[in-house]
Amino acid sequence: MLSSEVKRELQAVVGPDDVRDDPESRLAYSYDATPMYQAMPDGVVFPESTEEVQAIMKIASRHRIPIVGRGSGSNLSAGTVPVGGGLVMVMTKMNRLIEIDQDNLTATFQPGLITKQLHEAVERIGLFYPPDPGSMHVSTLGGNIAECAGGLRGLKYGTTKDYVIGLEAVLPSGDILRTGGKLTKDVAGYDLTKLLVGSEGTLAIITEATVKLLPLPEDRRVMVAHFTDLYAAARTVSQIIAERIIPCTLEFLDQGTIRVIEDYAKIGLPADMAAILLIEQDGPTSVVERDIERIAEICRQAKAAHVQVAQSREEEVQLMSARRSALSALARLRPTTILEDATVPRAAIAPMVEQINRIKEKYGLQICTFGHAGDGNLHPTCMTDARDREEIERVEKAFEEIFDAAIRLGGTITGEHGVGLAKAPFLEWKVGKSGIEVMKGIKRAFDPDGLLNPGKMFSKETRRRVVIT
Amino acid sequence: MKPVGEKPIDRESWAQVGEYLRKTLDQDELTHCMRCGFCLPACPTYRETGLEQASPRGRLALMKAVADGMMEPDKAFADQMNLCLGCRACETACPAGVQYGRVLEQARAGIALREPSSRIVRGLRKLFFEHLFPYQHRLRTLGWWLALYQRWGVGWLVQRSGLMRLFPEHIREMEAVMPLASSKGVREQLGEIIRPEGTPKGRVGLFRGCIMDVLFTETNCNTARLLVKAGYEVVIPDKQRCCGALHAHAGEVETAKRLACDNIGAFREAKVDWIVSNAGGCGAMLVEYAHHFQGDVRMEEDARWFSERVRDISQLVADVIDDLPLKRLQRRVTYQDSCHLRNGMHVTQPRNILRRIPGITYVELFESDRCCGSAGIYNLTQPEMSKQILDEKMTHVKNTEADILVTSNPGCLLQMKWGIRRAGLEQRMHAVHLVDLLMEAVE
């Protein structure tokens, strides 16, 4: 609960309905999409303007109350779980699309705008905002920026950080920070725009953003290839890129995932396949045609058991249905679904999948792997039950080993979900001691009192690296 | 309802509600929610309020918190559960397949241990759930009185004398769009068994519904006539009763089960191939009978027999639409989904049927899959939210520029009539049940 003084001050800023500290409200903002993490905030506040955010920050600073910025709470790193209590600042009321600038090809919006709504608005006028996280129907752009969300088109188009060019953010002091602008080139000082993208709400609260837009690709086509050999599938991924073709989407499903999807959706996937690749290319029609033909040829040369290029939009939907059903199929298997995002250089996909399979056998767990093969971003997904403490301990150990294996293969602990609370103990594995120290220095420069999203990214203790024998 | 073998519940104690919920809420289902938030955009009350606790994910989290002993239920908890329309659009959106509607019913069953606090709600509940819906003959009598009231100008008298002013505004508005009630139901008009035209395709038990048979008797009769034209023999067992959906949704599970038992018996006795409903709300309840009697050795098999045979009228008609002699209807038509037909029964046929009627220009209604705010008696118990949702719906309806707005459920139909009136569209369009439009094309 908030002290009556703080509540009164907040109410004076946002009005009585937009400050809540009743048990139902606090509970409803005590979690996000990350399984097994929950902590009660003292209150919830819904600002409607940058000025309100400033005023709230000043009150919080004066009373030393932690602030957790939150959009739709769809992140998978426990990044918005208020472990330090305090205020959850929900940005969903600041959801205006301020401008689409067709001369500069930029869009400017408030952080609470739903990602899908930006897509629809720009696509209506033939423009394109490529980042497409799986949660885009529900996630807010502010959340995408805070977590540097990725998506299926990352291979060709990059992730959120490659599009954000200007930000307005409020510092814990209540001061406003403006970075970048509608500029393609800007090297004035440190790149604070890039620094804020992916900062997970630990440095400032983003109140406005400008992103660059591309022309909407003229055409696109989809194809699928089935492989009986995991290495053949992985080599195909490398071969496609080596042939200087960058598909917009290059997705991978392992045997475990294929079997679960087939059991669930009965769409005729062969259970004996070691892997399926789903490939999409977009661009001018002639280029798309040529690329898809060459990719199909590469797949055939790699001894794919089955190669199919969609001839119609219906066939596309049918080919993509395997990837689309993946989450539903896995999520229905057991009560708790833990979806991670260990990422490796794409040449290391096959050894990484083998490592994951070895680890799941070692711990006797059900882990299926699918993900964005083109950019090496895999989603080892564990089906378990949060109520089974003994099993959950095994799950934690298994994921520690998976992160360790990813780093050994030149990869990272998280490709697109962020560190948050869930992976804070592993951050040092990736960035090293000096990396942590520099990051903590940056944190102090922005947030000297440690009020913004405490407990996230930096853990009190770093887990010891696992020794794989 | 009282839990069997439990000490009587003190109606003042939320703690006891909490204790009851901890025993009865389905823990597996609650754990199954992975909190991905994919349900948020599907939820009408989340969209209206912007509050997590007014979303399916939020409500499940509240229930889980109660089940885990993290919090006690209270009035705010009950309010949140009651604010839910029960449209189940979240179930269609949920990757993990959480049966939200079922756990919501469990939560409401717990809340129902305490009497609802508002006098209007309490009065309405008692009247509808205990004294009206379960009794077909009382509904008939009510229909007789309603018909008298509507036909002989008693309405005029009541309105002039100011009696209507005693009711809240939304009830007065609803009264104005009520269809003419009938003192004779479908069975009284057409008989118990109606022989098919042409080669018989099978024997269909018609589920006549409760309100449906009083206020929409003509639709019920048209349903029977349509089936007969399509070659089905129609049986209307007299022992059938209300489906129990409104009871189950409001937490009156025992009454719902009692009604279900009677219905199962009535149709088993009638030896039918299918049990046909023309109301999405009833149909979704009827297919759930099997679930309600799971593990009940005495009823399980019969309930499964029953549920497997339940079809919406559009499903049976879609199979034979090409054999029906359809004349041209030069109309612009749009369609509002019945939530329970779509999210509960997963029926997709009505749109295809409308597109097959010659002459009809079909226009898709923007967000036709979104609840209209009728939701059982939600428009009576939560008038503000209901009106908010309805008015937004009507702006989309207006944009279709349709002459006819089709629905497949009596509640939705009444709500649409109310909406057309509220939006001042009465001169431009009217709302009809799918069956009535079809019958117009067949005759």
Side-chain angles (χ1 to χ4, degrees), chain B residues 52-111:
Chain B
E52 176 74 23
Q53 58 269 43
S55 77
R57 178 174 68 172
R59 292 193 181 101
L60 288 167
L62 290 173
M63 289 185 240
K64 185 157 171 51
V66 168
D68 291 349
M70 258 180 87
M71 67 187 281
E72 285 294 356
D74 56 9
K75 184 174 175 301
F77 174 85
D79 286 349
Q80 217 41 263
M81 299 304 140
N82 291 332
L83 188 67
C84 174
L85 293 144
C87 71
R88 292 165 66 183
C90 50
E91 289 184 23
T92 302
C94 178
V98 174
Q99 302 281 331
Y100 170 85
R102 288 183 190 168
V103 264
L104 178 74
E105 281 180 12
Q106 291 166 356
R108 286 182 174 172
I111 292 166

Side-chain angles (χ1 to χ4, degrees), chain B residues 283-354:
Chain B
M285 178 68 190
L286 300 179
V287 293
E288 291 255 303
Y289 278 5
H291 160 72
H292 280 284
F293 292 102
Q294 235 163 36
D296 178 339
V297 273
R298 207 169 40 87
M299 286 300 298
E300 200 170 29
E301 203 198 318
D302 282 351
R304 206 173 329 110
W305 176 93
F306 185 95
S307 288
E308 279 167 2
R309 273 160 186 75
V310 173
R311 298 284 185 280
D312 182 67
I313 175 71
S314 62
Q315 293 176 295
L316 282 196
V317 169
D319 291 344
V320 295
I321 185 89
D322 290 332
D323 308 336
L324 287 172
L326 295 173
K327 69 172 186 221
R328 278 186 93 72
L329 287 181
Q330 216 69 42
R331 303 280 166 70
R332 197 175 162 86
V333 174
T334 193
Y335 179 71
Q336 161 65 30
D337 281 288
S338 144
C339 295
H340 283 97
L341 199 62
R342 186 187 179 101
N343 305 315
M345 289 182 85
H346 307 290
V347 165
T348 53
Q349 284 85 346
R351 279 182 182 72
N352 303 337
I353 292 177
L354 288 172

Side-chain angles (χ1 to χ4, degrees), chain A residues 163-236:
Chain A
Y163 293 87
V164 179
I165 53 173
L167 289 172
E168 178 197 82
V170 176
L171 298 170
S173 58
D175 293 335
I176 291 186
L177 175 69
R178 286 200 178 80
T179 75
K182 293 179 181 177
L183 296 163
T184 311
K185 292 182 171 176
D186 179 5
V187 289
Y190 296 138
D191 192 343
L192 295 181
T193 312
K194 288 273 196 292
L195 181 59
L196 286 179
V197 179
S199 63
E200 305 188 12
T202 59
L203 301 182
I205 296 289
I206 292 158
T207 47
E208 195 181 297
T210 300
V211 295
K212 67 176 176 190
L213 303 172
L214 301 180
L216 188 64
E218 186 183 296
D219 203 357
R220 58 184 182 82
R221 282 195 83 175
V222 168
M223 59 166 290
V224 68
H226 297 178
F227 294 86
T228 48
D229 172 20
L230 183 64
Y231 272 89
R235 269 198 309 275
T236 305

Side-chain angles (χ1 to χ4, degrees), chain B residues 30-326:
Chain B
L30 292 173
T31 313
H32 247 296
C33 170
M34 53 179 186
R35 296 180 172 171
C36 62
F38 284 18
C39 54
L40 299 182
C43 177
T45 55
Y46 177 71
R47 182 154 88 180
E48 293 300 323
T49 62
L51 293 174
E52 176 74 23
Q53 58 269 43
S55 77
R57 178 174 68 172
R59 292 193 181 101
L60 288 167
L62 290 173
M63 289 185 240
K64 185 157 171 51
V66 168
D68 291 349
M70 258 180 87
M71 67 187 281
E72 285 294 356
D74 56 9
K75 184 174 175 301
F77 174 85
D79 286 349
Q80 217 41 263
M81 299 304 140
N82 291 332
L83 188 67
C84 174
L85 293 144
C87 71
R88 292 165 66 183
C90 50
E91 289 184 23
T92 302
C94 178
V98 174
Q99 302 281 331
Y100 170 85
R102 288 183 190 168
V103 264
L104 178 74
E105 281 180 12
Q106 291 166 356
R108 286 182 174 172
I111 292 166
L113 296 177
R114 277 179 58 99
E115 293 210 73
S117 42
S118 138
R119 264 175 66 192
I120 290 186
V121 176
R122 201 160 56 212
L124 276 173
R125 279 180 75 125
K126 220 177 163 61
L127 176 69
F128 283 108
F129 294 147
E130 288 176 34
H131 300 305
L132 266 175
F133 291 139
Y135 303 102
Q136 195 71 27
H137 64 275
R138 289 190 193 166
L139 279 169
R140 280 266 62 83
T141 315
L142 179 76
W144 189 85
W145 279 106
L146 255 176
L148 187 76
Y149 162 80
Q150 289 171 326
R151 286 185 182 79
W152 293 94
V154 186
W156 177 83
L157 186 73
V158 172
Q159 273 155 9
R160 286 309 274 289
S161 68
L163 268 178
M164 270 317 275
R165 255 178 275 145
L166 294 175
F167 292 95
E169 182 208 349
H170 62 280
I171 299 210
R172 276 182 279 147
E173 285 181 11
M174 291 288 280
E175 196 265 353
V177 296
M178 280 283 223
L180 286 180
S182 167
S183 56
K184 280 185 176 169
V186 57
R187 194 173 179 281
E188 289 80 3
Q189 294 193 21
L190 302 180
E192 185 177 336
I193 295 172
I194 313 141
R195 299 260 163 244
E197 290 178 13
T199 3
K201 289 200 176 74
R203 188 173 157 95
V204 174
L206 177 65
F207 188 81
R208 66 183 164 195
C210 45
I211 307 180
M212 201 68 205
D213 210 35
V214 172
L215 285 180
F216 298 94
T217 323
E218 197 47 34
T219 306
N220 267 357
C221 292
N222 281 341
T223 305
R225 290 181 194 124
L226 200 60
L227 287 167
V228 164
K229 283 218 184 290
Y232 295 102
E233 179 183 36
V234 175
V235 195
I236 311 171
D238 196 32
K239 283 188 198 152
Q240 62 173 304
R241 305 175 78 185
C242 167
C243 67
L246 293 172
H247 304 82
H249 300 161
E252 309 281 343
V253 183
E254 290 307 317
T255 320
K257 282 173 90 167
R258 219 167 50 233
L259 293 166
C261 258
D262 290 349
N263 285 326
I264 293 167
F267 283 91
R268 254 232 111 143
E269 220 170 83
K271 296 192 175 59
V272 294
D273 300 313
W274 292 281
I275 296 151
V276 164
S277 130
N278 55 16
C282 306
M285 178 68 190
L286 300 179
V287 293
E288 291 255 303
Y289 278 5
H291 160 72
H292 280 284
F293 292 102
Q294 235 163 36
D296 178 339
V297 273
R298 207 169 40 87
M299 286 300 298
E300 200 170 29
E301 203 198 318
D302 282 351
R304 206 173 329 110
W305 176 93
F306 185 95
S307 288
E308 279 167 2
R309 273 160 186 75
V310 173
R311 298 284 185 280
D312 182 67
I313 175 71
S314 62
Q315 293 176 295
L316 282 196
V317 169
D319 291 344
V320 295
I321 185 89
D322 290 332
D323 308 336
L324 287 172
L326 295 173

